[in-house]
Amino acid sequence: MHNSDQDTIDRLSALIGRDRADVESLMEGLSTTIRDLLTDGQSIAIPSFGTFDTVKEDEHITTDLVTGERLLVPPCITPVFRPSALLRRRITNPDQQ
């Protein structure tokens, strides 16, 4: 099941009793903050939810299996999310809060 951004905003708005515009602004601010911190190489821990971080893969040489040509793969930084133990438990056992 996929939840659209608008559904998430509506649900959060009802949960915290704030209007849609406030929630939309807060969500945009959170998204921007997480993106900026990750871009700066910092990790973000959200209690009871998880941690956003980046993983850097160094440049390396690989071989094309078809042509045998050696290729230099540039360094790559990838964002990752590690869910907290509490979040994993709630997803695995939704009936046990």
Side-chain angles (χ1 to χ4, degrees), residues 59-90:
E59 74 178 9
H60 60 280
I61 297 174
T62 188
T63 304
D64 185 315
L65 297 175
V66 175
T67 65
E69 179 182 8
R70 291 171 52 106
L71 304 168
L72 179 64
V73 178
C76 177
I77 298 174
T78 305
V80 293
F81 173 72
R82 290 186 310 276
S84 69
L86 178 62
L87 179 60
R88 285 194 307 270
R89 248 190 336 269
R90 286 189 175 174

